């Protein structure tokens, strides 16, 4: 048990990053950095008591700045995609970076994932809180947005991520965490033999540029039906237009929110016996199978990550929700509190 803070390298502009390590009584530990409020690692025991790091990440901050993939990052002010890289609030049109085709992905080129956040540790609570003031019109979003993300490691082997924010203008607030998990170990190849159970009857169908069409399709009879646990690789190469457009799974699933933090998914690894349960109060979760991981991403321990070497379960509002009246609105009203929690809980059997 305990907490330590160490240096995590220096960016080319001189900014210094810190790495916080938190351990619990079970031999589980996590590493987080104030660069991007990023989850760098999670060392978790398997069914035989072997400990492995199950989160894809880099050795230090210079690799995070140099490489792609948003590994472990806190995404803001709005995660996922906004079609046309523009939106309207209160009759005013706001323009964002066009960083994926003509659309906006993960808020563009100057996202929260590339900022050095303020940091406050709380050893008694086994937590660290990263905070920043995102100024009015940063990335193109209206409102001064005071935002924080708190990581807590519990003695139940839970990584709790709590987001909180307030804006002085109506804005979009849609934070998420972009961790890639491989429950056999971050450097252990494909996740296609992992099984996934996901409590969703529908998913948001996408167009050729991965922007939702507005249709919430039924998972029934499709490769998107994970209501009963199945191998992630079972249907990933099926002749399905939605899978082809995503290069595999890269789709938002419609959850059944009731205002509470509740279990929405369970992932299991066949060899190690590790299990990860996901809990959230969000309306959606993006399931992504690492279809575009590049071999040039040299991760921790000098390992080159490979396509489908990690999976993401990014809890959030639906992608491009600002443009679809049938999706829950991602607008945060001025003065209101944005507050949401997601938990990744680990065990082995």
């Amino acid at each position: 048990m305990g907490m330590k803070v160490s240096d995590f390298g220096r960016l080319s502009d001189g900014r210094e990053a810190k790495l916080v390590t938190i351990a619990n009584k079970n031999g589980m530990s996590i590493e987080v950095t104030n660069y991007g409020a990023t989850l760098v690692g999670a060392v978790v025991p398997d069914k035989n008591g072997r400990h492995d790091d199950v989160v894809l990440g880099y050795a230090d901050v210079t690799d995070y700045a140099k490489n792609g993939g948003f590994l472990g990052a806190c995404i803001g002010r709005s995660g996922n995609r906004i079609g046309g890289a523009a939106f309207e609030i209160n009759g005013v049109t706001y323009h964002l970076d066009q960083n994926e085709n003509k659309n906006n992905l993960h808020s563009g080129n100057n996202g929260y994932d590339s900022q050095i956040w303020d940091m406050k540790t709380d050893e008694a609570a086994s937590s660290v809180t990263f905070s920043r003031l995102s100024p009015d019109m940063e990335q193109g979003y209206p409102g001064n947005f005071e935002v924080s993300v708190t990581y807590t490691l519990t003695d139940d082997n839970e990584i709790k991520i709590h987001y909180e924010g307030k804006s002085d203008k109506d804005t979009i607030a849609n934070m998420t965490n972009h961790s890639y998990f491989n429950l056999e170990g971050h450097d252990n190849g494909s996740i296609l033999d992992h099984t996934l159970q996901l409590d969703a009857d529908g998913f948001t169908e996408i167009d050729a540029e991965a922007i939702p069409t507005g249709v919430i399709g039924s998972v029934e009879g499709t490769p998107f039906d994970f209501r009963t646990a199945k191998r992630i690789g079972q249907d990933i190469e099926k002749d399905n237009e939605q899978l082809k457009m995503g290069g595999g799974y890269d789709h938002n699933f419609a959850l059944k929110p009731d205002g509470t933090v509740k279990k929405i998914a369970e992932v299991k690894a066949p060899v190690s016996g590790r299990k990860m349960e996901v809990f959230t109060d969000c309306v959606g979760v993006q399931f992504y199978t690492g279809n575009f991981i590049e071999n040039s991403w040299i991760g921790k321990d000098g390992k080159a990550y490979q396509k489908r070497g990690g999976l993401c379960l990014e809890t959030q509002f639906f992608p491009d929700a600002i443009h679809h009246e049938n999706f829950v609105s991602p607008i945060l009203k001025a003065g209101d509190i944005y507050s949401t929690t997601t938990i990744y809980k680990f065990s082995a059997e």
Side-chain angles (χ1 to χ4, degrees):
M1 295 177 69
M3 177 182 292
K4 73 173 183 180
V5 180
S6 51
D7 292 331
F8 198 52
R10 182 193 296 258
L11 295 164
S12 58
D13 61 10
R15 290 180 296 162
E16 293 183 356
K18 296 294 183 184
L19 187 72
V20 181
T21 305
I22 308 172
N24 71 10
K25 66 181 184 182
N26 308 318
M28 179 177 167
S29 63
I30 64 171
E31 294 178 324
V32 288
T33 176
N34 58 343
Y35 178 78
T38 296
L39 180 64
V40 173
V43 175
V44 181
D46 73 359
K47 64 184 179 184
N48 299 314
R50 173 191 163 103
H51 288 72
D52 291 296
D53 188 347
V54 299
V55 171
L56 277 62
Y58 298 117
D60 66 26
V61 72
T62 56
D63 284 342
Y64 279 96
K66 179 177 65 180
N67 291 309
F70 303 99
L71 268 62
C74 174
I75 307 293
R77 186 174 304 193
S78 183
N80 216 308
R81 296 169 174 91
I82 293 179
F87 62 92
E88 185 179 301
I89 293 181
N90 301 329
V92 178
T93 299
Y94 297 93
H95 295 277
L96 312 173
D97 290 339
Q98 295 182 352
N99 65 322
E100 188 185 68
N101 301 308
K102 292 184 177 177
N103 307 308
N104 179 267
L105 174 66
H106 296 323
S107 296
N109 303 317
N110 192 34
Y112 293 3
D113 55 288
S114 62
Q115 307 296 327
I116 297 281
W117 294 56
D118 295 331
M119 184 174 89
K120 185 177 181 182
T121 58
D122 185 342
E123 188 163 1
S126 295
S127 71
V128 57
T129 297
F130 301 108
S131 60
R132 66 184 304 265
L133 171 62
S134 176
D136 183 34
M137 297 310 294
E138 182 179 51
Q139 309 162 298
Y141 293 94
N144 294 293
F145 185 48
E146 298 175 61
V147 61
S148 69
V149 53
T150 300
Y151 288 91
T152 304
L153 177 63
T154 75
D155 282 333
D156 291 325
N157 286 7
E158 298 168 320
I159 305 172
K160 280 176 113 161
I161 308 176
H162 177 69
Y163 307 89
E164 200 156 300
K166 190 164 85 168
S167 173
D168 60 2
K169 291 182 182 175
D170 294 358
T171 192
I172 293 178
N174 182 23
M175 310 284 287
T176 193
N177 178 272
H178 207 301
S179 288
Y180 293 73
F181 297 98
N182 186 323
L183 300 185
E184 304 289 19
H186 76 98
D187 54 355
N188 214 37
S190 169
I191 46 81
L192 293 184
D193 282 340
H194 286 47
T195 60
L196 170 68
Q197 185 272 321
L198 181 56
D199 189 19
D201 297 330
F203 70 102
T204 48
E205 295 182 2
I206 58 172
D207 66 17
E209 293 188 345
I211 303 297
T213 62
V215 173
I216 300 175
S218 171
V219 301
E220 183 76 40
T222 76
F224 296 86
D225 192 349
F226 286 94
R227 292 173 296 185
T228 302
K230 70 178 180 185
R231 264 185 76 247
I232 289 170
Q234 177 178 310
D235 299 324
I236 201 168
E237 301 297 344
K238 286 271 174 74
D239 184 13
N240 175 278
E241 186 182 21
Q242 285 291 308
L243 284 175
K244 288 177 181 173
M245 288 192 289
Y249 295 105
D250 189 5
H251 295 75
N252 168 74
F253 285 74
L255 302 176
K256 305 166 188 173
D258 61 9
T260 67
V261 178
K262 65 178 185 178
K263 183 174 174 178
I264 58 116
E266 182 174 294
V267 183
K268 289 183 181 176
V271 178
S272 65
R274 288 191 186 91
K275 178 168 78 171
M276 180 178 78
E277 298 168 273
V278 185
F279 302 77
T280 191
D281 51 11
C282 290
V283 299
V285 61
Q286 186 87 2
F287 173 47
Y288 175 51
T289 42
N291 311 317
F292 302 107
I293 293 176
E294 301 280 355
N295 285 340
S296 59
W297 301 358
I298 307 299
K300 294 170 289 192
D301 306 323
K303 298 290 185 179
Y305 291 137
Q306 66 178 67
K307 178 180 177 179
R308 297 181 180 156
L311 65 93
C312 304
L313 288 163
E314 306 158 61
T315 56
Q316 57 190 23
F317 286 107
F318 294 0
D320 201 31
I322 192 71
H323 291 134
H324 299 280
E325 287 189 3
N326 60 321
F327 293 177
V328 176
S329 173
I331 292 176
L332 175 68
K333 291 290 193 182
D336 285 357
I337 301 294
Y338 172 78
S339 177
T340 179
T341 299
T342 294
I343 298 168
Y344 299 98
K345 181 178 181 179
F346 297 87
S347 57
E349 58 188 31

